Amino acid sequence: MLLNGLTMQYNTIYMTKLGASPQDISMLNSIVSFVRMILSIPAGLLIDRIKRVKRLFILSRLCQLPVPMIKGLAQSFQHFFGISIWENIIVRISMPTWNILNISSISDADRINGLVTKRMATSILGIITPLFAAYMINVFGGLEKVDSYRPLYLTQFAVGLVIFIVLAYKMEEPEIIRSGTEKKVLSGFSEMFRSKPGLKRLLFMQIVMMFFFGLRMALGGLYFYEIKGADAYI
């Protein structure tokens, strides 16, 4: 997630420099959301049946590893779009397994303190990363030049490669105890909603929030850049 802070705010601007229109960018967001939706349940079922979660995570990260490099070397927005869809297919596996590994690596007694410490550390780095990205943009020519964005993605790839190597060799396989009974997907959803009356309201609130978040964020960076005249640091 910290590596995403290097490029996240510049993705839409970079895509327009590669030739994409606002309609193209909105279409990509819709396709990505559709991919996430249809793969969520199959990915969850796969993860639930795999005993070696670390191996599945490492394999998914390996498939995701070249994504920033391909984005950085993209010569057209079609290349960027294609690899973005591939990235979101793999994320359906890598993110849940990463969360499982995070939680399993901390004992029950230390879990809250561990998660709070992790979030505090990532928040601090999350302040620094966008400023570093803005500095790089300015060094390599500013927001107007398409080549100014490429070093961000290539840096993302290089740092991601180092992190991948460390995780592959140092991370331990967690011991996960699963329940012996398996439930069908639909019956599992029905039981979950029956046992948690407030879950329906929470789900409805999340849907409404995501709808307006999608409206605001889909072209947010492009709006600040083209309409409001923001520079790289803003």
Side-chain angles (χ1 to χ4, degrees):
M1 293 299 291
L2 290 175
L3 293 180
N4 289 339
L6 280 174
T7 58
M8 184 170 57
Q9 65 268 35
Y10 301 113
N11 278 331
T12 53
I13 305 174
Y14 180 52
M15 282 188 276
T16 59
K17 299 301 180 183
L18 290 173
S21 67
Q23 291 78 13
D24 294 326
I25 297 172
S26 299
M27 179 62 70
L28 173 64
N29 290 328
S30 296
I31 294 173
V32 164
S33 296
F34 178 74
V35 168
R36 290 175 177 174
M37 179 188 69
I38 63 174
L39 291 181
S40 292
I41 292 178
L45 292 174
L46 173 64
I47 295 169
D48 196 46
R49 285 162 172 74
I50 294 293
K51 293 182 179 180
R52 298 189 175 184
V53 177
K54 175 196 168 181
R55 180 176 293 183
L56 182 60
F57 169 73
I58 293 299
L59 179 61
S60 63
R61 282 297 302 161
L62 182 62
C63 294
Q64 197 176 345
L65 192 61
V67 168
M69 181 179 65
I70 297 174
K71 286 182 176 180
L73 298 176
Q75 297 302 309
S76 69
F77 72 88
Q78 289 89 347
H79 296 154
F80 190 100
F81 282 19
I83 197 63
S84 295
I85 294 170
W86 168 253
E87 179 183 24
N88 280 274
I89 292 173
I90 302 302
V91 163
R92 292 294 90 184
I93 301 293
S94 64
M95 280 304 297
T97 51
W98 176 239
N99 290 331
I100 293 171
L101 291 168
N102 265 328
I103 294 172
S104 301
S105 65
I106 308 173
S107 65
D108 292 342
D110 298 327
R111 187 160 294 152
I112 294 178
N113 289 334
L115 292 176
V116 169
T117 303
K118 173 199 166 188
R119 288 173 181 171
M120 182 177 67
T122 53
S123 296
I124 294 172
L125 291 174
I127 297 172
I128 300 172
T129 305
L131 295 176
F132 176 70
Y135 172 77
M136 288 186 66
I137 287 282
N138 285 334
V139 166
F140 287 98
L143 293 172
E144 295 298 326
K145 297 182 179 180
V146 65
D147 289 336
S148 300
Y149 303 88
R150 301 190 190 278
L152 296 181
Y153 294 94
L154 298 179
T155 302
Q156 194 178 42
F157 167 72
V159 177
L161 178 61
V162 174
I163 294 174
F164 172 80
I165 294 172
V166 172
L167 291 177
Y169 282 98
K170 296 296 184 179
M171 182 183 290
E172 297 180 358
E173 185 73 61
E175 183 179 352
I176 299 174
I177 301 175
R178 292 182 169 87
S179 60
T181 58
E182 291 188 5
K183 298 178 181 179
K184 294 182 179 179
V185 175
L186 294 179
S187 61
F189 274 119
S190 299
E191 182 177 333
M192 180 176 64
F193 283 117
R194 284 197 302 269
S195 61
K196 306 290 183 182
L199 191 59
K200 292 180 180 179
R201 291 191 294 271
L202 179 61
L203 180 61
F204 176 75
M205 289 174 58
Q206 286 290 105
I207 292 173
V208 173
M209 289 172 60
M210 287 303 297
F211 174 77
F212 288 104
F213 179 80
L215 287 177
R216 180 169 57 90
M217 293 302 296
L219 300 171
L222 194 60
Y223 171 76
F224 288 124
Y225 168 60
E226 290 194 349
I227 306 299
K228 295 299 183 180
D231 60 17
Y233 284 98
I234 295 178

